[in-house]
Each structure stands twice: as C-alpha cells, then as structure tokens.
Amino acid sequence: MDFGWTREQDAFRQEVRKFIADNVTDAVIEEMDEGYVPSSGGQKRGARGPFATALRNKIDAKGWLGISWPKEYGGAGKDRLTQYIVEEEFSRVGMNVGGGGGAAPAIMAAGTEEQKSSYIPKLIKGEITFASGFTEPSGGADLASLQCRAVEDGDFFVVNGQKIFTSAAHNATHIYLLCRTDPDAPKHRGISILLFPMDTPGITVRPLWTIQNDPPAPPGTTYGTRRTNETFFEDVRVPKSALLGEKNMGWYVNAMRLNLDRVGAGRYLISVRRDEDIVNYSKGHTFNGYSIKEDEAMRDRIADLWTDAQVCRLMTMRSMSIVEHGGDFTYEGSAEKVWAPEHGVKSTEAIVQMLGPYAQLLNGSPNAVERGLYAHNLMGAFQSGINHGSTQIMRDQVARRGLGMPRG
Ligand SMILES: Cc1cc2nc3c(=O)[nH]c(=O)nc-3n(C[C@H](O)[C@H](O)[C@H](O)COP(=O)(O)OP(=O)(O)OC[C@H]3O[C@@H](n4cnc5c(N)ncnc54)[C@H](O)[C@@H]3O)c2cc1C
C-alpha cells in the first residue's frame, strides 16, 4: 500500500497553498472571524462581506468550490482526494472550501431532479445555506423521539413545533427540518425531511447564547460557537415539493447525511492547527529561564499529540477513499467524531497548561494571553464533543456498527 501522494497531487497542493498565501489576506480572515453585518443594518440572511465575496469568486474561478461534485450540478467532477487536498489546505486558514456542506449529500442522494439542480449549485457556491433543525428540547441523543409535527393540508405541509440548538437559524437562508409526519408509526418510521426558506411566515428564531459569548470569544477561536438558537414553527405552510425523499423515510436519509457530514479534513485540521500552535510556542517561549522545548515531559506530550493527529489524518483519508469507491460507510464518521473533540480537549488543555496561569484568563481580562484565545479554544473543544452528535452516542455507534456489539 502506498501512503504517498502522486507527483500531480503534490503539485496541485502547492498550487492551492500558493493561492492561499497570495489571496487569503489578514483583511479576509478578520472579516470572517468578526462576522459580517451589512451597513444597511440587521443581519442579512446569507450575507458575506466584500473581502470574503471577492475571495470566493476567485476560488470559484479556479473551479475549487464543490470540486468533487458532478459538473452538471456546478462542481468540477474531480476525485475525493483532490477535494481532500483543497479542504485540508483551506482548513488551515479556517475556511470550508471543497465539499458541498451539510445538506448537500442528502439532497444529492434523495432529492428530486428539481431539488438537485436548484439547490446543489447554489450550496456549492455558498449562495444559500441550510440551518439544521434536528434537536428538540426533549433531548438530542434520542433524535428519533422528535415531536415537531408536519400535517398534510392539500398541496402543503403545516408545521408546528420547536427546535433547539438550531445553530445557523439566524443567518441561514434555508432550513433542513426533521419533523414527524406519522405519529402512529414506530418512531424511526414516521419522520420526514422538509427543505424550505427561513423567511417562510410563522418561523420565530430566538438566540441561545453559549459559554463562548460572555465574554465573547476572540477572533481566531477555532472551536465552538457563540450563538445558537431556539426556533419555533407556528402554522408554517410548506409546499409538498419541499419534501426530501419519501414521506416517513427521513430518518434513513438523515442517518446517511450525518455519517457523511462527519467525514473530511476539516474536523481533523481544527485540531492540527492547535497542535501547530503548541509546536510554535514551545520553540519560541521561555519563562524565567524555563524552556518548553527543553522540558522532556512536554516534549513527550507534544510528540504524543502530534502522533495522535497523524493517526486521525489517516482515518479521514480512509473515509474519503471509502466514499470515493462507493464502499459501505458505517462507523467511520462516528469514530472521527469521537477522536476529534477528544483530541481537541487534550491539545487545548496542553497549551493552556504550558503557557501557565495567565493563559486561563478569558477575553477582556487585562492579563489574558492573546485575548484569552487558548482558554476559549479549550471551552469550545468541550462544546465540540456535544454538537453534531455527542461523543457518548458516537461511541455507541462505533460499538454497534463497527464492532458488531449488541444495542445497550
Ligand atoms: C454548540 C452546539 C451547537 C449545536 N448545533 C445544532 C444544530 O445546528 N442543529 C441541531 O439540530 N442540533 C444542534 N446541537 C444539538 C446537539 O446535536 C445535541 O446537543 C446533542 O445531540 C445532545 O443532545 P442534548 O443536548 O439534548 O442532550 P441529551 O440528549 O439530553 O443527552 C444528555 C447527555 O446524556 C448522554 N446520553 C444520552 N443518551 C445516551 C445513551 N443512550 N448512551 C450514552 N449517553 C447518552 C448524551 O451524550 C449527553 O451527554 C448543537 C449543540 C451544541 C452544544
């Protein structure tokens, strides 16, 4: 087995890297980190700032947006390893480029021709975005027990209910909503997926602030989010054309989506960026004559983290390769979703401990190191073990689907 890249792949990586060095300027990163609010006031759905827009247009001209998606849906039709290279390089600067994002794999697999051709090209280009409406106040771990109802009324579904932790609901253009369409069926068999615009009448979005909000996490924080939401649906009328896949079969389409969502370089690279911080700090910092890089215990710890990260890189590449070859993809995404948040906690904890007590201070404190970046990253790493499916539930999936163990 050859773990190396081909000469063409290496040359392509260099091209992407050079493009990033030339074009991803501090101004773009600052605009993305701070979040863009248009001067017309309010937070426009799907709004993107002028620097990020210009950059995205340049990336599009290169054909790197949705690089592995079929040409007829706006992609470039390349293989997944080419996508991996683009994702990996852009993840280093905190950008998500290369995949189709969240809802796209499910639409591609289960959508009608009209849904595919109207949503996929816009998703690839970032012209539309989907909030994910899964979790309800009764609990996200047992997702199949969701109660948000969609009742048929002529050519429409009428939606009533509440979702919680709908992270992007305040600025996404659309929502991908899991709702119950048959309350009498066994719980996994009465769920459907509806895709519709967030400005449909009857939707109310209320902010739900996280641990990263007070004080606000500084720019550059790579884990967690400052805001998520509660979203309420009151007699929301959605045309039947919004149904994704078959009625009552949404659980199965969504399971496939979540599995694919968890694949890719981005999740592993968030951690690698933090590990690179550690290496850079350990090389450059001495305190009262103490040098991190001379401390054997610290050297061992850094080497452990780095090795751990390389294992995950191989796991993510293996997953991409399975998807590329149309293989059966069962537990791999869940395994990555266990590894990445746990590695994130280990590596952010390590850097906070290396830098000493001041690194524990949060943004706003006069003595905070780098505006509290490392302490905020540590708090966010804990968040990442909950969102997108908690670590405990992921472990359960690895046990059952990967190891063939019985349901607990
Ligand atoms: C920052 C953030 C962003 C999020 N974004 C979104 C989003 O955009 N859209 C969305 O729909 N959801 C989102 N979520 C919700 C997330 O998916 C849920 O929080 C997660 O699935 C856990 O659900 P819960 O919080 O209701 O915990 P619960 O389901 O109440 O579970 C509580 C705890 O018990 C554990 N547990 C429960 N059942 C079992 C079991 N059978 N075996 C072992 N352990 C178990 C869980 O792991 C968890 O630790 C987000 C969450 C966070 C924190």
Side-chain angles (χ1 to χ4, degrees):
M1 185 181 288
D2 184 0
F3 283 106
W5 298 89
T6 64
R7 196 172 298 170
E8 292 74 33
Q9 286 166 334
D10 280 337
F12 179 62
R13 185 183 291 279
Q14 289 313 318
E15 183 189 342
V16 178
R17 209 167 268 186
K18 181 167 182 331
F19 176 92
I20 291 171
D22 292 345
N23 293 286
V24 183
T25 59
D26 289 348
V28 177
I29 290 178
E30 197 175 317
E31 190 184 80
M32 289 188 308
D33 275 345
E34 298 284 0
Y36 173 66
V37 179
S39 53
S40 54
Q43 184 145 19
K44 190 169 164 283
R45 297 199 169 279
R48 184 173 286 131
F51 292 116
T53 304
L55 174 61
R56 213 154 175 102
N57 290 342
K58 277 191 183 176
I59 299 172
D60 192 20
K62 284 282 198 185
W64 295 344
L65 294 180
I67 191 162
S68 66
W69 286 85
K71 287 185 179 161
E72 65 265 38
Y73 298 114
K78 302 276 197 235
D79 61 272
R80 301 264 176 180
L81 285 176
T82 308
Q83 176 190 330
Y84 193 92
I85 293 170
V86 172
E87 276 194 89
E88 191 168 43
E89 292 305 318
F90 276 97
S91 294
R92 284 180 191 284
V93 286
M95 288 184 70
N96 181 6
V97 171
I107 297 175
M108 198 63 198
T112 60
E113 194 46 47
E114 197 191 331
Q115 285 169 333
K116 287 195 260 190
S117 52
S118 72
Y119 287 135
I120 302 279
K122 290 182 192 149
L123 272 169
I124 287 173
K125 298 221 190 295
E127 290 165 5
I128 59 170
T129 48
F130 277 86
S132 298
F134 305 152
T135 312
E136 299 189 1
S138 56
D142 183 15
L143 187 56
S145 64
L146 61 90
Q147 294 300 322
C148 182
R149 282 296 311 274
V151 177
E152 287 179 74
D153 180 17
D155 292 337
F156 290 83
F157 286 104
V158 181
V159 181
N160 279 286
Q162 181 191 349
K163 294 285 170 181
I164 194 168
F165 297 121
T166 23
S167 295
H170 58 296
N171 54 19
T173 57
H174 290 69
I175 187 159
Y176 171 111
L177 186 78
L178 251 59
C179 46
R180 188 156 298 283
T181 36
D182 185 351
D184 300 321
K187 63 181 184 178
H188 293 88
R189 295 186 175 272
I191 293 171
S192 300
I193 301 168
L194 297 176
L195 309 172
F196 54 95
M198 276 301 293
D199 56 10
T200 309
I203 305 178
T204 306
V205 178
R206 248 184 11 208
L208 196 60
W209 301 104
T210 75
I211 195 171
Q212 296 285 34
N213 184 57
D214 188 17
T221 305
T222 41
Y223 286 106
T225 171
R226 279 178 64 190
R227 176 179 175 171
T228 174
N229 302 285
E230 291 176 293
T231 308
F232 301 86
F233 302 86
E234 212 174 325
D235 292 330
V236 178
R237 292 183 72 78
V238 178
K240 283 197 170 157
S241 58
L243 181 68
L244 177 67
E246 274 179 60
K247 196 177 97 177
N248 296 329
M249 296 304 281
W251 176 263
Y252 305 97
V253 173
N254 194 55
M256 179 272 301
R257 169 207 159 148
L258 285 175
N259 223 1
L260 287 175
D261 253 12
R262 292 176 184 129
V263 185
R267 198 175 292 285
Y268 123 82
L269 262 171
I270 291 178
S271 294
V272 173
R273 288 172 72 197
R274 296 283 65 93
D275 292 345
E276 285 173 357
D277 286 347
I278 296 179
V279 173
N280 292 336
Y281 262 98
S282 65
K283 283 182 187 158
H285 279 64
T286 52
F287 307 104
N288 299 329
Y290 166 78
S291 155
I292 297 173
K293 74 169 188 238
E294 305 296 337
D295 182 326
E296 288 199 1
M298 285 301 183
R299 287 160 68 109
D300 277 356
R301 198 162 170 190
I302 294 168
D304 270 354
L305 288 168
W306 192 262
T307 310
D308 212 14
Q310 299 318 306
V311 173
C312 187
R313 184 172 193 250
L314 291 176
M315 275 166 66
T316 57
M317 288 174 64
R318 177 167 176 269
S319 300
M320 287 293 233
S321 174
I322 293 173
V323 176
E324 173 73 19
H325 294 102
D328 208 7
F329 188 77
T330 51
Y331 68 92
E332 290 82 355
S334 305
E336 287 166 34
K337 180 68 178 62
V338 172
W339 179 91
E342 292 194 345
H343 182 80
V345 171
K346 278 193 274 179
S347 71
T348 49
E349 217 166 43
I351 195 161
V352 166
Q353 286 169 359
M354 275 176 203
L355 295 178
Y358 291 113
Q360 294 173 30
L361 298 174
L362 296 174
N363 194 10
S365 166
N367 294 317
V369 176
E370 294 207 25
R371 297 174 66 185
L373 178 67
Y374 299 107
H376 280 280
N377 277 332
L378 174 57
M379 294 194 308
F382 284 110
Q383 262 186 39
S384 71
I386 302 169
N387 64 23
H388 237 104
S390 69
T391 305
Q392 291 84 355
I393 298 301
M394 294 302 109
R395 278 211 157 82
D396 187 53
Q397 290 181 359
V398 173
R400 285 192 290 114
R401 295 189 194 148
L403 303 175
M405 292 171 77
R407 188 181 284 274

